[in-house]
Every structure is written in structure tokens, then in C-alpha cells.
């Protein structure tokens, strides 16, 4: 039976807690993973090159580290990374090949926990918690 | 005509064959564009519900068509039958003449159909058509002969060789039809026979008929089907088989045209082998994705994804993007998960449980939003759609695209809202004020908008259309499409920069 897919670090980098009153302090969500899946994905340098500018780099590195998959990723983005294939492959691995199947995401400001179950993060807020 | 790509068998028809597709109403322009782009199609024309085109591409490429319902080899396209005050018998004769008037056309079409299937599938005829019953020795001999001749054809051979083979085959058919004596006087449509009689070179066939307009008032589809059926049996000695024919004949008669075709595939193109359970018509889903301008490295979101149909179509066609799907329903998410697994797209599409009115995403983090906005009672007009649009606008990057499928009611609501002069503020996060403002100097991909003054009545409609729907969301296109029993609108928006908005004077 093929393993369940999970939340990738690329997507985690886009997620932000929307608990009422939290605002920009709701990022990045802290990952606590109980099950991780690493699975190969076809490398597309063009895709990676275009994704990097969309990422919050520090948060990406922190998240990768917390999962034990820092993979020699530098903590600072260097100029000219578009031409460094070795670097791009490392980024590719961190963005796309590491998935959280089971665990939680935690809002750094409110402490609210969002469970990840069978690869699907549940970020539904109750009416009280929500901003509107 | 472009040469076949490596791996694809040589085109059986260097000069091309003529086809038509049935297509959902409203999708004709999209299919027209698609056949041009995918198949380098020529002589493309369309009427309501059908697109006609010529191409020399093989079945593999033809099967890629995403906005079409079914694909047919075109046999005949003629002006409509003249019905009026003529006797029924006279009209029957004219229907008959669809067959008898040009038998070579039929033989040729069947030959093309056969060579398409056999060359492409590269299998012996018995295996290529697993549900086809053996209709006799002679037919197998003919097809085997064709295969043997083809193996002698070296790659890079000229047109002439293939043409010669086609001619040989036609000759053989002709011989068969002249020598047979046992055509049936009575129609044999109600073939109760389980066993096939070993007639020489006989195809089994079934006629599917569609009549609308004037002709439908006087004739039933059964009557028309029967006339054609009998004519075919008499002309070619084919055997009718309603349950499991090897060949299907499709006839559509209406006030605009008379069209006859042979379906190329058993299943409609719209039925995808990579979608387990479709939530939305696959053709509509693909069309929505095709309008969204999904580039390499795009972040694409469907915040009401249901079973994930739109994301599946998008990820299949534009694989080098990042796809996110969200829904509030566990059962839908489970179904979507199932669909992703079946399609082998688990690596490309990620699922979340969250609500579209509360997106847990950064502002300006998404490049494309594609969604089928749910119809029905669970969705209230007014408050809900505004919250939804507000959130979509927030997470969308400037220059980003939104393509939504809207019900007629919702579409009307949004049109009315746009044209009214309601000014209202959102108390949500104090950063956005929603005003209907004049929009001047819209710059689009292929068109540059002139400065339009609202005092010119002629231009007024166009100006109205370009006003922002909502904050910085501007409507780009809107297409009315048929969903079968209901109709809906595919509506495209883009997010413009604040500086491109102008305050009303």
C-alpha cells in the first residue's frame, strides 16, 4: 500500500496562523512531526529557481532543521544561486521531497495547535477563534 | 503537417483526416483553440455543439483533447435535409442517399478508421478490438494482409506507398460487395442471434441517431436509424448488432446540417482515465484551468476544491506548478485524496482542511486561484461571496489570476453589484476599502485599452466591464457554458496594482 503523502515544506512556508489578533506574528508555524515521509520528486531547476524568491528563507531553513533535513542548506541566500545546480538540488530536496504525514503545526503567538492527520493539515478555526 | 514525434508510430494519413468533436455549448471557442494548438489542425470551423477540423495527428495526440466531449471521423457533412411539404417516402429516400449516394466515401472512412486503430495500437485486430466478435475469416485475412504490407514499408517511405495500400484495400472491399448475394430484405436490427454467421468480410455495426428541429417533428430517431441501417446492410452487407458492434455510426440531423461520423474511441474523451470520481465536468474543469495562465513555478490554489477535479486537470496539463486544494468537508477531502492517488498526482497536489473565508495563507502568496463556487442553498449570496472575494483578493499576488465557475444567480448578482454605485468599507482589517471606481488605462496581455471617457455612450459598456469588480480585482473575461441541465459562467479576474486604480471625480 503506497504511503500517504503529506505537507511539504514549500507549502508550510506559505501558511500563516489566522487566529484572531495574531496578525503577522502567526508565522512561521512550528512543526512537530511524528511521521515524516521522504520521497523522490523529479528535479526541475526552472521550478526551483522561480520558487526561491517566493520563500521566506529563514523560516524555510528553520523548518528543514526542525525536521532533521537541513541538508547543508545555507542559512543565507547567496547571489547567483540560479546557476548553482548543486544548491538548487538541495533546495529542491527540502522544498519538495520532505513531507509531514502526521504531527502538528503550532501558532507561535497564540499557541493554537493545528493537527496534521494522514497528510492533511486541519486549519479550520471555530467561530470564536476566527478573525471575522 | 508536422512529422510524428519519436516513439509515436508514423502517421497513417500524411494528408490528414477530417474529424469533428461534440462539445458542450459555450466551449466551442476553447476547443477550436485547442485543436489548433495541440494538433496543428487546419480547416477548423464550428457550429453550436460541434467543432470540425482536419489533422494528420495519430490517436495518441487526438486523445489529448481536453475540452471535447466525443471525437468522430467525419463521414458526411451536408446542408440540412429538405423536409417541408414532401412526402415521408421522399425524405426517406434522401436519408438513404446519405449511404447510397456515395458508397466510396463510406468505404474510405471505414478504411481510415481501421488503419488509425491498428497502426496506433500496433496490435493484431483481434486484440485491438477485444469486444469485437470475429466476423469471419475473410475480414481477418484482409486486415492481416494490410499489416503484412505495412511491415514492408520502411520508415520514411513516401505518401504513395500508404496511398497504394489504401487503394488495394478499397478494391478488396469492392470485390466483396459485388459478389455477395445474401443481403437481407428484412431489417435485422433486432438481432437476437448470439452467434455470428461467418459471412465474408462483414462488419457489425450500430446506428446512433440524433434528430432535432424540423425533422424531429416528422420522424423518430428509430425511423431514421432504421433507414440508414437497412441501406448499409444492402450496400455493404454489414450486419447490425445493437449490443456490441465493432463499428458505430453516428448521425445528427437538424435544421443546420446533416452530419455523419464514426466515433474514434469507445469512451468519450470527456471521460478521463486519470479521474476516478469527477466532481465537475472534466471539460469545464480543464477550461477553467486553461484560462488561469499557470506558469512554471506558480502557486495555484483551489480553496473550495471538493473532489479536486479542477486541480487534477490543471496539474495534469501544467505539471510544473505547486497545487493546493482545500475544503471544509472531510468526505470531500477523502474523495479528493483518493482521486489524487488514482491519478498519480499525490506529489503535485497538497490537500488542506480550511475555509475559503479564512485562508491561513500570507497576503500575496498565491499566483492563481481556480474554483467552482458552490451553488445551492448552503451558499448564501451577498455576505458569503463578499467574504470569499475579499480573502481571495488578499492572498493573490498583484498580476495574479482568478478563474471561477459561477452559477447564473451568482453571476447576475456580481454583475449588478459591479454596475451599482455602492460604496462600502470592510471592517475586516482596516487596510482595504472597496469602492467602485473608474478604471482607466487597463493594460492587458494582448490588448491595450484606450483612455475611455464615460461620456461616450458607445464606449460605456466596455468601460463598465473594465471597472473593478471588487477592490483591485478586475474582470477580464466571462463565458457562458452549459453544464447539461443548467448553465453557468466561467469568469476570469486579475488583480491589478493600487496605482492603476483611479478615484472617481
Amino acid at each position: 500500500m503506497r504511503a500517504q503523502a503529506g505537507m511539504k515544506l514549500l507549502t508550510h512556508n506559505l501558511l500563516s496562523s489566522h487566529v484572531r489578533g495574531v496578525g503577522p506574528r502567526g508565522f512561521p508555524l512550528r512543526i512537530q512531526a511524528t511521521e515524516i515521509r521522504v520521497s523522490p520528486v523529479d528535479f526541475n531547476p526552472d521550478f526551483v529557481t522561480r520558487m526561491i524568491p517566493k520563500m521566506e528563507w529563514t523560516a524555510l531553513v528553520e523548518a528543514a532543521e526542525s525536521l532533521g533535513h537541513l541538508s547543508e542548506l545555507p542559512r543565507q541566500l547567496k547571489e547567483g544561486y540560479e546557476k548553482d545546480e548543486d544548491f538548487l538540488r538541495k533546495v529542491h530536496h527540502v522544498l519538495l521531497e520532505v513531507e509531514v504525514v502526521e504531527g502538528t503545526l503550532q501558532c507561535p503567538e497564540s499557541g493554537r495547535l493545528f493537527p496534521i492527520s494522514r497528510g492533511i493539515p486541519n486549519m479550520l478555526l471555530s467561530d470564536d477563534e476566527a478573525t471575522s | 503537417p508536422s512529422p510524428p514525434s519519436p516513439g509515436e508510430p508514423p502517421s497513417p494519413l500524411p494528408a490528414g483526416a477530417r474529424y469533428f468533436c461534440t462539445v458542450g455549448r459555450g466551449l466551442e471557442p476553447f476547443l477550436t483553440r485547442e485543436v489548433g494548438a495541440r494538433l496543428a489542425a487546419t480547416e477548423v470551423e464550428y457550429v453550436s455543439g460541434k467543432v470540425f477540423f482536419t489533422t494528420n495527428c495519430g490517436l495518441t495526440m487526438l486523445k489529448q483533447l481536453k475540452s471535447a466531449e466525443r471525437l468522430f471521423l467525419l463521414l458526411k457533412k451536408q446542408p440540412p435535409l429538405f423536409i417541408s411539404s414532401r412526402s415521408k417516402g421522399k425524405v426517406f429516400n434522401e436519408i438513404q442517399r446519405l449511404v447510397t449516394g456515395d458508397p466510396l466515401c463510406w468505404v474510405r472512412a471505414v478504411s481510415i478508421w481501421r488503419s488509425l486503430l491498428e497502426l496506433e495500437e500496433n496490435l493484431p485486430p483481434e486484440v485491438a478490438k477485444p469486444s469485437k466478435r470475429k466476423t469471419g475469416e475473410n475480414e481477418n485475412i484482409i486486415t492481416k494482409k494490410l499489416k503484412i504490407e505495412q511491415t514492408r514499408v520502411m520508415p520514411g517511405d513516401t505518401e504513395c506507398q500508404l496511398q497504394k495500400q489504401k487503394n488495394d484495400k478499397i478494391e478488396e472491399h469492392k470485390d466483396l460487395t459485388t459478389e455477395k448475394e445474401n443481403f437481407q430484405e428484412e431489417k435485422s436490427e433486432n438481432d437476437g442471434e448470439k452467434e455470428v454467421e461467418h459471412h465474408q468480410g462483414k462488419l457489425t455495426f450500430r446506428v446512433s441517431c440524433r434528430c432535432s428541429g424540423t425533422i424531429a417533428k416528422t420522424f423518430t430517431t428509430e425511423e431514421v436509424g432504421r433507414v440508414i441501417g437497412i441501406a448499409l446492410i444492402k450496400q455493404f452487407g454489414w450486419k447490425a448488432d445493437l449490443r456490441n458492434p465493432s463499428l458505430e455510426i453516428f448521425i445528427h440531423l437538424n435544421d443546420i446540417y446533416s452530419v455523419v461520423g464514426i466515433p474514434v474511441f469507445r469512451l468519450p474523451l470527456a471521460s478521463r482515465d486519470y479521474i476516478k470520481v469527477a466532481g465537475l465536468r472534466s471539460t469545464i474543469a480543464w477550461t477553467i484551468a486553461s484560462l488561469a495562465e499557470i506558469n512554471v513555478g506558480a502557486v495555484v490554489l483551489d480553496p473550495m476544491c471538493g473532489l479536486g477535479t479542477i486541480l487534477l486537470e490543471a496539474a495534469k496539463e501544467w505539471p510544473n506548478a505547486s497545487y493546493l486544494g482545500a475544503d471544509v468537508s472531510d468526505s470531500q477531502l477523502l474523495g479528493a485524496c483518493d482521486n489524487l492517488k488514482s491519478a498519480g498526482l499525490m506529489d503535485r497536489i497538497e490537500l488542506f482542511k480550511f475555509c475559503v473565508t479564512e485562508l491561513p495563507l500570507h497576503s500575496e502568496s498565491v499566483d492563481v486561484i481556480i474554483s467552482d463556487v458552490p451553488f445551492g442553498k448552503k451558499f448564501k449570496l451577498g455576505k458569503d461571496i463578499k467574504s470569499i472575494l475579499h480573502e481571495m483578493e488578499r492572498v493573490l499576488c498583484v498580476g495574479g489570476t482568478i478563474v471561477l465557475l459561477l452559477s447564473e444567480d451568482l453571476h447576475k448578482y456580481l454583475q449588478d453589484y459591479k454596475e451599482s454605485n455602492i460604496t462600502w468599507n470592510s471592517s475586516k482589517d482596516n487596510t482595504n476599502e472597496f469602492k467602485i471606481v473608474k478604471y482607466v488605462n487597463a493594460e492587458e496581455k494582448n490588448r491595450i485599452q484606450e483612455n475611455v471617457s464615460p461620456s461616450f455612450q458607445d464606449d460605456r459598456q466596455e468601460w463598465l466591464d473594465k471597472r473593478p469588480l471588487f477592490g483591485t480585482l478586475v474582470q477580464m473575461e466571462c463565458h457562458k457554458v452549459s453544464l447539461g441541465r443548467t448553465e453557468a459562467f466561467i469568469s476570469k479576474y486579475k488583480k491589478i496594482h493600487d496605482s492603476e486604480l483611479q478615484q472617481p471625480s
Side-chain angles (χ1 to χ4, degrees):
Chain A
M1 192 87 218
R2 227 205 127 163
Q4 193 80 25
M7 179 198 71
K8 294 180 204 271
L9 291 179
L10 183 159
T11 334
H12 164 260
N13 201 269
L14 303 171
L15 296 173
S16 181
S17 164
H18 50 304
V19 169
R20 196 206 321 258
V22 149
R25 299 177 304 281
F27 173 84
L29 297 166
R30 278 190 219 112
I31 310 176
Q32 282 131 14
T34 52
E35 187 184 330
I36 297 173
R37 170 178 174 249
V38 179
S39 110
V41 173
D42 290 338
F43 173 63
N44 182 329
D46 203 11
F47 176 92
V48 181
T49 309
R50 282 166 205 263
M51 255 328 153
I52 290 172
K54 299 183 187 182
M55 300 286 101
E56 221 295 331
W57 190 255
T58 316
L60 179 65
V61 170
E62 272 174 26
E65 197 167 29
S66 76
L67 292 183
H69 277 265
L70 185 55
S71 305
E72 305 158 30
L73 217 54
R75 290 181 189 278
Q76 298 258 308
L77 258 185
K78 293 188 193 97
E79 268 197 35
Y81 63 77
E82 304 92 339
K83 301 185 185 75
D84 186 348
E85 193 189 298
D86 202 42
F87 172 75
L88 291 178
R89 281 189 181 269
K90 289 183 187 146
V91 180
H92 164 84
H93 172 76
V94 166
L95 286 179
L96 299 175
E97 294 184 329
V98 183
E99 295 170 349
V100 182
V101 180
E102 298 281 338
T104 57
L105 296 169
Q106 184 171 41
C107 171
E109 175 73 8
S110 69
R112 179 25 162 124
L113 288 170
F114 301 102
I116 303 175
S117 166
R118 299 173 72 171
I120 300 179
N122 180 350
M123 306 192 69
L124 209 50
L125 291 175
S126 67
D127 287 338
D128 308 326
E129 294 173 302
T131 329
S132 59
Chain B
S2 46
S5 42
E8 202 187 297
S11 169
L13 309 148
R18 195 142 177 81
Y19 301 87
F20 69 93
C21 283
T22 46
V23 57
R25 275 176 294 116
L27 294 184
E28 297 93 343
F30 297 99
L31 181 56
T32 300
R33 203 182 306 161
E34 216 195 330
V35 299
R38 268 195 225 280
L39 310 173
T42 55
E43 300 171 285
V44 186
E45 50 184 67
Y46 75 84
V47 289
S48 169
K50 288 190 179 60
V51 175
F52 300 84
F53 60 95
T54 304
T55 181
N56 69 342
C57 286
L59 292 192
T60 319
M61 291 304 294
L62 289 167
K63 199 148 195 223
Q64 296 294 308
L65 290 174
K66 295 292 172 84
S67 50
E69 288 291 325
R70 295 194 74 182
L71 175 71
F72 301 84
L73 206 53
L74 179 67
L75 224 147
K76 278 206 171 303
K77 176 170 173 271
Q78 290 176 180
L81 296 178
F82 179 54
I83 318 289
S84 269
S85 52
R86 299 198 312 174
S87 74
K88 237 179 155 173
K90 282 209 170 82
V91 182
F92 272 140
N93 284 340
E94 196 169 329
I95 295 174
Q96 229 170 35
R97 244 174 283 131
L98 282 171
V99 176
T100 60
D102 187 4
L104 204 60
C105 162
W106 288 80
V107 169
R108 208 175 285 138
V110 173
S111 162
I112 293 174
W113 170 76
R114 274 210 171 112
S115 46
L116 271 177
L117 290 173
E118 285 162 17
L119 277 180
E120 193 76 25
E121 296 181 35
N122 240 12
L123 296 161
E126 297 88 329
V127 184
K129 300 187 261 301
S131 47
K132 176 190 177 200
R133 296 177 294 176
K134 289 204 203 309
T135 52
E137 292 252 45
N138 223 41
E139 188 171 55
N140 288 337
I141 292 170
I142 291 169
T143 52
K144 272 177 191 150
K145 196 171 174 191
L146 183 66
K147 271 198 84 60
I148 292 165
E149 284 178 21
Q150 274 150 14
T151 56
R152 282 202 237 110
V153 175
M154 305 307 281
D157 246 2
T158 61
E159 262 182 55
C160 307
Q161 187 70 329
L162 287 166
Q163 187 61 37
K164 181 182 178 305
Q165 286 172 18
K166 241 170 61 181
N167 288 337
D168 288 344
K169 195 147 191 273
I170 291 168
E171 285 307 313
E172 283 161 332
H173 270 286
K174 269 196 175 153
D175 289 338
L176 289 166
T177 53
T178 48
E179 77 186 16
K180 65 131 181 62
E181 288 293 336
N182 48 350
F183 62 80
Q184 289 125 47
E185 295 281 359
E186 306 283 290
K187 76 160 179 70
S188 56
E189 240 166 76
N190 295 323
D191 253 350
E193 296 154 20
K194 306 281 189 280
E195 297 308 311
V196 186
E197 294 161 49
H198 290 276
H199 292 291
Q200 297 194 350
K202 303 251 185 312
L203 276 176
T204 60
F205 76 97
R206 171 174 66 196
V207 179
S208 293
C209 212
R210 227 196 268 176
C211 296
S212 51
T214 320
I215 190 166
K217 295 184 184 140
T218 339
F219 299 88
T220 63
T221 53
E222 291 79 24
E223 286 177 299
V224 176
R226 199 181 309 141
V227 171
I228 299 283
I230 296 174
L232 287 171
I233 293 165
K234 277 191 181 176
Q235 185 75 42
F236 303 115
W238 296 348
K239 233 177 132 51
D241 182 348
L242 291 185
R243 278 179 298 117
N244 205 11
S246 51
L247 180 69
E248 259 205 270
I249 307 289
F250 171 92
I251 297 184
H252 192 175
L253 304 174
N254 60 23
D255 294 330
I256 309 168
Y257 47 64
S258 301
V259 170
V260 185
I262 300 174
V264 177
F265 302 105
R266 282 199 180 268
L267 287 173
L269 290 170
S271 158
R272 314 283 204 230
D273 49 33
Y274 51 85
I275 295 185
K276 199 169 169 188
V277 181
L280 175 66
R281 246 180 159 85
S282 61
T283 50
I284 302 271
W286 181 87
T287 304
I288 290 169
S290 75
L291 279 167
E293 300 173 38
I294 298 169
N295 298 316
V296 175
V299 175
V300 182
L301 170 71
D302 184 347
M304 295 172 277
C305 69
L307 295 172
T309 317
I310 305 179
L311 292 172
L312 284 168
E313 289 291 334
K316 197 83 180 165
E317 187 80 56
W318 296 275
N320 294 308
S322 194
Y323 292 94
L324 316 181
D327 206 283
V328 294
S329 154
D330 281 329
S331 59
Q332 294 282 286
L333 283 172
L334 272 174
C337 203
D338 225 14
N339 272 342
L340 296 191
K341 282 193 180 144
S342 303
L345 288 171
M346 276 201 309
D347 276 330
R348 302 218 173 272
I349 305 175
E350 281 168 77
L351 297 175
F352 295 83
K353 187 171 180 184
F354 58 69
C355 183
V356 63
T357 53
E358 292 284 343
L359 296 174
L361 295 161
H362 296 311
S363 298
E364 303 198 7
S365 58
V366 173
D367 298 297
V368 170
I369 298 176
I370 41 180
S371 204
D372 171 9
V373 182
F375 308 156
K377 295 182 187 70
K378 71 172 176 182
F379 182 68
K380 291 162 271 162
L381 289 178
K383 171 184 174 282
D384 282 343
I385 189 63
K386 284 181 195 145
S387 311
I388 289 175
L389 287 173
H390 172 89
E391 272 295 86
M392 286 185 176
E393 192 206 6
R394 181 184 67 80
V395 302
L396 196 65
C397 299
V398 173
T401 315
I402 301 178
V403 184
L404 302 175
L405 185 68
L406 306 168
S407 67
E408 288 200 72
D409 286 343
L410 192 48
H411 171 76
K412 181 158 198 319
Y413 179 84
L414 289 176
Q415 291 294 97
D416 292 344
Y417 168 69
K418 198 170 66 168
E419 285 177 29
S420 71
N421 284 315
I422 299 166
T423 309
W424 50 279
N425 299 324
S426 160
S427 57
K428 209 166 187 333
D429 53 13
N430 301 323
T431 54
N432 280 316
E433 275 197 326
F434 304 113
K435 296 187 186 120
I436 304 297
V437 297
K438 282 188 204 171
Y439 180 57
V440 180
N441 247 1
E443 194 182 287
E444 294 166 50
K445 256 191 150 203
N446 303 309
R447 296 166 2 218
I448 309 285
Q449 205 73 15
E450 311 267 0
N451 265 339
V452 175
S453 164
S455 63
F456 288 116
Q457 289 301 331
D458 294 342
D459 296 329
R460 190 159 197 274
Q461 191 53 52
E462 217 182 276
W463 172 72
L464 272 173
D465 289 344
K466 283 289 169 281
R467 283 187 303 178
L469 166 72
F470 203 78
T472 53
L473 294 180
V474 181
Q475 177 153 48
M476 306 299 287
E477 299 173 45
C478 192
H479 304 271
K480 188 171 189 181
V481 294
S482 166
L483 297 183
R485 272 187 237 122
T486 55
E487 300 203 298
F489 290 83
I490 300 179
S491 205
K492 175 174 174 174
Y493 308 93
K494 265 204 178 216
K495 181 168 171 177
I496 56 173
H497 202 271
D498 272 331
S499 61
E500 290 176 88
L501 288 174
Q502 204 177 72
Q503 300 300 319
S505 47

